[in-house]
Amino acid sequence: MTNLTLDLETVNLTDEQYYQLCIKNKNLRFERNANGDLIIMSPTGDETSNRNGRLTQQLFNWSDTNELGIVFDSSGGFKLPNGAERSPDASWIPLEKWQKIPLEERERFSNICPDFVVELMSPSDSLKATQEKMQEYLDNGAKLGWLINRKKRRVEIYRQGKEVEVLNNPSTLSGEDVLLGFVLKLAKIW
Amino acid sequence: MTNLTLDLETVNLTDDQYYQLCIKNKNLRFERNANGDLIIMSPAGDETSNRNAGLTAQLWLWNEDKQLGIVFDSSGGFKLPNGAERSPDTSWIPLEKWQKIPPEERERFSNICPDFVVELMSPSDSLKATQEKMQEYLDNGAKLGWLINRKKRRVEIYRQGKEVEVLNNPSTLSGEDVLLGFVLKLAKIW
């Protein structure tokens, strides 16, 4: 199944209703765009899930050495300033920002855009839709974003205030000034 | 796409939210079961749609002549006494029952179970799920129901308080004591 988008513009699903929908239907993945439309996504498939685990694993390993922030896997959900609810495949929030989020919000979907986001495209994902999502993260405050296109072995790097950079078949990616000292090894992710 | 069922038990979608969902997403068909779960169905397909139009047309012509009630096509939706929201492929309500429904409710989804319902299975419909739906109509007050299985040229007849009768390759169906004098010709429906 490809994504199914339901126009909820006049339905006005509350945040509580959206949260209940998500936790009651864990076999599906949900997002909401800035118009409030509901996007229903099938699970990614096992291979993409494995690669995503590898990616999150490296990010966790790096984070454990410095404790500069908090890492999230693909089940984290964030309500962006534009109202969209998004779940990046991996993401990271600096510790001081995370600590400002009220405890009860942390257990649900926090009102924050992560500083760092990754979208790891599964074979059925649309490149255009994923690019728009990356741009949305930047517009909502993300500092660094990686769009990893496994099928084409290509990575698009999104940086605040800069043109998108495209890397063909890189072996590593640098966390730059956002994830200090982090280097993602891509060998087991392609 | 097969049906997609979302568990909305704790989401508590209001009737107005459900109505807005339906009218904003006319490319999809929706129902709710008695637990409040949302069932999202793809369009039936053109061949099934054509057969359904033929069926509704025969019922409509009979009703025009008799003026005993109101005929609904597959876009009608009814909130049954058990709380489910269902859209039979064709249905009929006696005039006196329809007139008791408040006008503002008639424009949306009325709180009523039609006296007569038809489910015309499309090739992707599940027989078991459709049989359960027919039983639910009976349990909620329908007097006569036809489950038309085109693929097997078989009709199941559901009557209040009686065993289900199965007819193999019938050429006509009688409206019995519910649709007085109605005879459905199946030649163009198979």
mmCIF file of all heavy atoms in Angstrom, chain B residues 40-56:
data_model
loop_
_atom_site.group_PDB
_atom_site.id
_atom_site.type_symbol
_atom_site.label_atom_id
_atom_site.label_comp_id
_atom_site.label_asym_id
_atom_site.label_seq_id
_atom_site.Cartn_x
_atom_site.Cartn_y
_atom_site.Cartn_z
ATOM 1 N N ILE B 40 -11.980 2.196 5.980
ATOM 2 C CA ILE B 40 -11.749 3.001 4.779
ATOM 3 C C ILE B 40 -11.721 2.054 3.594
ATOM 4 O O ILE B 40 -10.935 1.109 3.558
ATOM 5 C CB ILE B 40 -10.417 3.766 4.877
ATOM 6 C CG1 ILE B 40 -10.381 4.579 6.176
ATOM 7 C CG2 ILE B 40 -10.221 4.669 3.656
ATOM 8 C CD1 ILE B 40 -9.049 5.272 6.425
ATOM 9 N N MET B 41 -12.617 2.296 2.639
ATOM 10 C CA MET B 41 -12.741 1.401 1.495
ATOM 11 C C MET B 41 -12.443 2.144 0.214
ATOM 12 O O MET B 41 -12.778 3.316 0.057
ATOM 13 C CB MET B 41 -14.166 0.845 1.430
ATOM 14 C CG MET B 41 -14.537 0.004 2.647
ATOM 15 S SD MET B 41 -16.324 -0.321 2.749
ATOM 16 C CE MET B 41 -16.900 1.275 3.353
ATOM 17 N N SER B 42 -11.800 1.442 -0.714
ATOM 18 C CA SER B 42 -11.555 2.042 -2.022
ATOM 19 C C SER B 42 -12.863 2.041 -2.811
ATOM 20 O O SER B 42 -13.805 1.348 -2.459
ATOM 21 C CB SER B 42 -10.490 1.241 -2.746
ATOM 22 O OG SER B 42 -10.888 -0.096 -2.842
ATOM 23 N N PRO B 43 -12.924 2.821 -3.892
ATOM 24 C CA PRO B 43 -14.118 2.759 -4.744
ATOM 25 C C PRO B 43 -14.310 1.335 -5.240
ATOM 26 O O PRO B 43 -13.353 0.561 -5.330
ATOM 27 C CB PRO B 43 -13.781 3.706 -5.896
ATOM 28 C CG PRO B 43 -12.714 4.601 -5.376
ATOM 29 C CD PRO B 43 -11.934 3.779 -4.395
ATOM 30 N N ALA B 44 -15.562 0.977 -5.583
ATOM 31 C CA ALA B 44 -15.887 -0.416 -5.882
ATOM 32 C C ALA B 44 -15.287 -0.880 -7.203
ATOM 33 O O ALA B 44 -15.115 -2.074 -7.411
ATOM 34 C CB ALA B 44 -17.395 -0.593 -5.934
ATOM 35 N N GLY B 45 -14.976 0.003 -8.094
ATOM 36 C CA GLY B 45 -14.565 -0.410 -9.445
ATOM 37 C C GLY B 45 -15.733 -0.193 -10.385
ATOM 38 O O GLY B 45 -16.899 -0.248 -9.987
ATOM 39 N N ASP B 46 -15.440 0.042 -11.671
ATOM 40 C CA ASP B 46 -16.468 0.486 -12.607
ATOM 41 C C ASP B 46 -17.508 -0.585 -12.896
ATOM 42 O O ASP B 46 -18.690 -0.282 -13.038
ATOM 43 C CB ASP B 46 -15.807 0.946 -13.908
ATOM 44 C CG ASP B 46 -14.944 2.182 -13.666
ATOM 45 O OD1 ASP B 46 -15.166 2.853 -12.635
ATOM 46 O OD2 ASP B 46 -14.069 2.462 -14.488
ATOM 47 N N GLU B 47 -17.083 -1.832 -12.996
ATOM 48 C CA GLU B 47 -18.063 -2.861 -13.336
ATOM 49 C C GLU B 47 -19.069 -3.033 -12.197
ATOM 50 O O GLU B 47 -20.282 -3.034 -12.426
ATOM 51 C CB GLU B 47 -17.366 -4.189 -13.643
ATOM 52 C CG GLU B 47 -18.318 -5.174 -14.275
ATOM 53 C CD GLU B 47 -17.595 -6.354 -14.907
ATOM 54 O OE1 GLU B 47 -17.348 -7.356 -14.207
ATOM 55 O OE2 GLU B 47 -17.276 -6.256 -16.103
ATOM 56 N N THR B 48 -18.560 -3.133 -10.979
ATOM 57 C CA THR B 48 -19.462 -3.255 -9.833
ATOM 58 C C THR B 48 -20.357 -2.016 -9.731
ATOM 59 O O THR B 48 -21.546 -2.113 -9.429
ATOM 60 C CB THR B 48 -18.649 -3.450 -8.543
ATOM 61 O OG1 THR B 48 -17.834 -4.611 -8.666
ATOM 62 C CG2 THR B 48 -19.567 -3.616 -7.341
ATOM 63 N N SER B 49 -19.779 -0.856 -10.019
ATOM 64 C CA SER B 49 -20.555 0.382 -9.959
ATOM 65 C C SER B 49 -21.704 0.351 -10.962
ATOM 66 O O SER B 49 -22.830 0.766 -10.671
ATOM 67 C CB SER B 49 -19.627 1.570 -10.249
ATOM 68 O OG SER B 49 -20.381 2.721 -10.512
ATOM 69 N N ASN B 50 -21.432 -0.165 -12.165
ATOM 70 C CA ASN B 50 -22.461 -0.258 -13.198
ATOM 71 C C ASN B 50 -23.576 -1.192 -12.759
ATOM 72 O O ASN B 50 -24.770 -0.877 -12.869
ATOM 73 C CB ASN B 50 -21.814 -0.767 -14.505
ATOM 74 C CG ASN B 50 -22.851 -1.274 -15.483
ATOM 75 O OD1 ASN B 50 -23.115 -2.469 -15.563
ATOM 76 N ND2 ASN B 50 -23.475 -0.358 -16.209
ATOM 77 N N ARG B 51 -23.213 -2.368 -12.222
ATOM 78 C CA ARG B 51 -24.224 -3.324 -11.777
ATOM 79 C C ARG B 51 -25.058 -2.737 -10.641
ATOM 80 O O ARG B 51 -26.258 -2.943 -10.544
ATOM 81 C CB ARG B 51 -23.568 -4.618 -11.299
ATOM 82 C CG ARG B 51 -22.746 -5.329 -12.349
ATOM 83 C CD ARG B 51 -23.520 -5.555 -13.630
ATOM 84 N NE ARG B 51 -22.851 -6.497 -14.486
ATOM 85 C CZ ARG B 51 -21.849 -6.198 -15.333
ATOM 86 N NH1 ARG B 51 -21.438 -4.952 -15.455
ATOM 87 N NH2 ARG B 51 -21.299 -7.133 -16.088
ATOM 88 N N ASN B 52 -24.389 -1.987 -9.799
ATOM 89 C CA ASN B 52 -25.089 -1.391 -8.665
ATOM 90 C C ASN B 52 -26.073 -0.314 -9.135
ATOM 91 O O ASN B 52 -27.178 -0.186 -8.612
ATOM 92 C CB ASN B 52 -24.059 -0.788 -7.706
ATOM 93 C CG ASN B 52 -24.577 -0.709 -6.299
ATOM 94 O OD1 ASN B 52 -24.961 -1.712 -5.720
ATOM 95 N ND2 ASN B 52 -24.643 0.503 -5.769
ATOM 96 N N ALA B 53 -25.658 0.438 -10.149
ATOM 97 C CA ALA B 53 -26.556 1.454 -10.702
ATOM 98 C C ALA B 53 -27.796 0.783 -11.284
ATOM 99 O O ALA B 53 -28.929 1.264 -11.100
ATOM 100 C CB ALA B 53 -25.824 2.267 -11.772
ATOM 101 N N GLY B 54 -27.601 -0.368 -11.973
ATOM 102 C CA GLY B 54 -28.727 -1.093 -12.557
ATOM 103 C C GLY B 54 -29.697 -1.577 -11.496
ATOM 104 O O GLY B 54 -30.918 -1.489 -11.637
ATOM 105 N N LEU B 55 -29.133 -2.053 -10.404
ATOM 106 C CA LEU B 55 -29.942 -2.554 -9.299
ATOM 107 C C LEU B 55 -30.756 -1.411 -8.677
ATOM 108 O O LEU B 55 -31.975 -1.518 -8.482
ATOM 109 C CB LEU B 55 -28.973 -3.153 -8.280
ATOM 110 C CG LEU B 55 -29.471 -4.054 -7.184
ATOM 111 C CD1 LEU B 55 -28.302 -4.853 -6.635
ATOM 112 C CD2 LEU B 55 -30.137 -3.293 -6.064
ATOM 113 N N THR B 56 -30.054 -0.305 -8.405
ATOM 114 C CA THR B 56 -30.731 0.838 -7.794
ATOM 115 C C THR B 56 -31.808 1.378 -8.737
ATOM 116 O O THR B 56 -32.895 1.779 -8.303
ATOM 117 C CB THR B 56 -29.699 1.938 -7.455
ATOM 118 O OG1 THR B 56 -28.612 1.345 -6.746
ATOM 119 C CG2 THR B 56 -30.312 3.024 -6.593
#
